[in-house]
Amino acid sequence: LLNLLKKLRNHLDMTALSRADALYVDENFEQALTLYSEAIKASSVASFGALSHRAACYMQLHKYTQALQDCSKALEQAKSEKGVTQEAKVMVQYRKGQALFNLEEFEASRIVFAEILNIIGSKSEGRKEKAMKINSERFVRKCDFEIQASAPTKDEIHETKDKPKSVIVPAKPAPPKPIQYQYYQDDKKMCVSV
């Protein structure tokens, strides 16, 4: 009886995952997110696939902190779950790198994309692998740019060392200017300039 209940629960989890996948494909990310969450809660151990797909939903909904959490959990789960392909792990790592980039964690993001490039290496034979390699290289360049742009220049470092810290006092608003006008008049007309 216990074995039958486990099989029934597993079937219900798979049904929820299948429905969630269909909603994701239809770009109904909010409802897909709800079903992925239900499937994760229903199982005793969250599956790699459910966490991975829920992370994808979070990415589509611009909820990068939650996506990062699910990616980390999925990668941890992949260590103990059988049947998780290297391609699936790399995809989750890619989402993790994107989430970190969008959270402006550029150094951590760069590390993740560099790891992806090390995993893929020169064996990028398929179309997906080539695309993943190109996109990861692009993200490494973007991370490098952001890291370099946020680093202080030598001049800025010297200025902060040489200058004493000053307090910025907000200026009082200037009083309004008085209205100026001119006029002249003759017997037939009067002209006023403001």
Side-chain angles (χ1 to χ4, degrees), residues 48 74-75 78-79 81 83-95 116 119:
F48 172 85
L75 290 169
K79 293 176 185 176
E81 192 173 309
V84 178
T85 65
Q86 187 67 28
E87 183 182 343
K89 291 179 199 174
V90 168
M91 178 53 72
V92 172
Q93 275 191 294
Y94 185 81
R95 287 186 189 125
I116 292 170
I119 292 168

Side-chain angles (χ1 to χ4, degrees), residues 1-14 42-44:
L1 184 63
L2 186 62
N3 194 22
L4 182 63
L5 286 173
K6 285 182 182 179
K7 286 181 181 181
L8 183 61
R9 175 179 273 174
N10 189 28
H11 176 71
L12 291 174
D13 292 347
M14 295 307 291
S43 65
S44 57

Side-chain angles (χ1 to χ4, degrees), residues 63 92 172 178 180 188:
K63 296 181 178 181
V92 172
K172 293 182 180 178
Q180 296 179 350
K188 294 183 181 179

Side-chain angles (χ1 to χ4, degrees), residues 6-41:
K6 285 182 182 179
K7 286 181 181 181
L8 183 61
R9 175 179 273 174
N10 189 28
H11 176 71
L12 291 174
D13 292 347
M14 295 307 291
T15 304
L17 285 175
S18 298
R19 289 191 340 232
D21 288 342
L23 289 167
Y24 183 87
V25 169
D26 291 340
E27 298 182 7
N28 192 340
F29 303 117
E30 289 286 348
Q31 287 183 344
L33 180 65
T34 303
L35 286 177
Y36 285 130
S37 297
E38 287 176 10
I40 290 169
K41 286 178 186 174

